[in-house]
Every structure is written in C-alpha cells, then in structure tokens.
Amino acid sequence: SSSFTASTMTLATTKASTSGTSVEFTGIPSGVKRISVMFRGVRSSASDVGLLVQLGTSSGFKTSGYASTTHWGGGGTSDTTGFAMIGIATPNNISGIMTIAHMGSNVFVASHSGKYNANNGAFGGGDVDLGGTVDRVKIKTISGGAFDAGSVNIMYES
C-alpha cells in the first residue's frame, strides 16, 4: 500500500527589487521540502553578471560551499557563494523561477529557468549542504550593484 501526505504551500508577500543589494525572506518553518523563488523583471543598474540565492539557518546565511552554474545563449558562469542566476545587468532583466528542493540531511538542490532578454533564456542549477535547518532565503547581486527594477517572492511547501 502507498501513503499520501498532503502538502501545504505558503506564498510570502512580494517584495520590490528596486533598491539595495539584497532582498531577504525569513520565518520559513522547519520541515520545508521545496522553496520556489520567483523573479519578475529583476534588474541591476551596475554590471552585475547575475544574482545569487543564498539559504540560511538560525546562525545566518551560508556564503560558501555551493556548487552552482548558470548559463544563457552566449555563455555562463559558476559560483560557490550561492545559487547563481545570470541576466540582471541593464538592459537585461530576469523573469523566471528557481526551485530549491530538500533531499534530506540538510542537502538542497536547485534548478532555474527564466527569460534573460528578448532573445535568450537563463538556465542552470546546483547543490549545497546547508549544515542546518533552512529558515531564510536571500536574493542578492553578485557584484554588489544595486537592484533597480522588478520584484521577487518565494513560495514554500511543507
């Protein structure tokens, strides 16, 4: 016989990505199995190649140990400080979703796809051993430039 447990999905409140270098979501409950990070028209005024999504615990955000790559039609980049997503340097912007799934033992895998500009998409993925229970997510610029357009939100499932 098989068993089925209904999941609960919670949509956070959308936050603007129109200033500053990061947007944070906190208060994610323990036992979360999947986090979806949604982007709509996210852009940086600087020469940031892309953005990073970092997971965190009650001790703070994890800033190392990620194995992450992101690509578009003409190239890509890798990053070890977060899950990278290419495509926010003006005039480009990102609209899409990054899905982060819990594999057990505080290990998470990520996959993303989205619109980068009128002619290209962005795609990639990665993994990280968080070393603790996830309770927060940060979306930040890679090079420290300021966000100047768009919005972000998360949805989590437990």
Side-chain angles (χ1 to χ4, degrees):
S1 82
S2 63
S3 64
F4 175 76
T5 303
S7 63
T8 301
M9 296 184 79
T10 302
L11 180 65
T13 301
T14 298
K15 296 183 179 189
S17 54
T18 54
S19 65
T21 59
S22 67
V23 177
E24 296 181 12
F25 293 90
T26 58
I28 297 171
S30 62
V32 163
K33 295 174 184 66
R34 181 170 49 191
I35 301 168
S36 296
V37 185
M38 298 160 286
F39 308 91
R40 181 173 184 230
V42 176
R43 187 181 71 194
S44 170
S45 59
S47 59
D48 282 280
V49 67
L51 57 80
L52 295 174
V53 175
Q54 293 175 329
L55 302 180
T57 68
S58 58
S59 301
F61 287 99
K62 184 162 181 76
T63 59
S64 64
Y66 294 82
S68 170
T69 60
T70 182
H71 292 270
W72 63 283
T77 188
S78 61
D79 204 287
T80 60
T81 63
F83 294 127
M85 190 167 185
I86 202 165
I88 65 168
T90 300
N92 304 309
N93 61 70
I94 282 290
S95 291
I97 297 176
M98 180 179 290
T99 303
I100 303 166
H102 186 206
M103 286 187 65
S105 302
N106 298 313
V107 170
F108 291 84
V109 295
S111 177
H112 68 271
S113 63
K115 177 201 70 65
Y116 168 38
N117 60 30
N119 302 308
N120 293 289
F123 58 93
D127 65 85
V128 67
D129 184 342
L130 190 57
T133 302
V134 66
D135 74 350
R136 63 194 72 189
V137 174
K138 179 189 289 187
I139 298 98
K140 67 186 293 286
T141 57
I142 286 181
S143 306
F147 287 121
D148 71 353
S151 57
V152 294
N153 201 352
I154 66 167
M155 183 168 46
Y156 53 85
E157 186 174 356
S158 51

